[in-house]
């Protein structure tokens, strides 16, 4: 899924979770990773906080933050990772 998006937003993730794995894959593909920090008392948000703390994810707290991050990425005109196949001109 991460290869098909401009950004991956992690809403909840435990320290060991599929959501954290998806975030790592997105980062490896040079996609934006965004995370909602969640309450400090919540184990279900510990993975999000760790992604933010280790610099893998950018902290977001609203839909406006997500849109701003996507707009920033679009204006930078970044190319996708070379390992991700580009779509052919004929749409295949």
């Amino acid at each position: 899924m991460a290869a098909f998006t401009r950004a991956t937003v992690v809403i909840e993730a435990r320290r060991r979770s599929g959501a954290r794995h998806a975030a790592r894959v997105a980062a490896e593909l040079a996609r934006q990773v965004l995370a909602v920090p969640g309450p400090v008392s919540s184990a279900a948000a510990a993975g999000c906080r760790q992604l933010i703390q280790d610099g893998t994810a950018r902290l977001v707290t609203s839909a406006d933050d997500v849109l701003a991050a996507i707009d920033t990425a679009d204006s930078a005109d970044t190319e996708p990772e070379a390992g991700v196949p580009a779509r052919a001109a004929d749409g295949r």
Side-chain angles (χ1 to χ4, degrees):
M1 294 300 292
F4 298 113
T5 65
R6 288 184 266 170
T8 297
V9 181
V10 183
I11 306 300
E12 279 193 345
R14 292 185 175 271
R15 288 198 185 273
R16 294 180 52 125
S17 68
R20 275 204 50 212
H21 176 73
R24 297 257 180 233
V25 170
E28 289 171 7
L29 294 172
R31 301 300 194 267
Q32 286 240 346
V33 179
L34 311 169
V36 178
V40 294
S41 60
S42 172
C48 290
R49 292 189 306 273
Q50 188 172 16
L51 288 167
I52 294 165
Q53 186 174 22
D54 69 19
T56 301
R58 177 176 165 181
L59 184 144
V60 293
T61 59
S62 68
D64 288 338
D65 290 347
V66 174
L67 294 174
I70 292 170
D71 286 343
T72 301
D74 285 347
S75 66
D77 197 33
T78 57
E79 290 294 318
E81 190 84 34
V84 178
R87 187 174 214 160
D90 63 0
R92 289 189 269 156

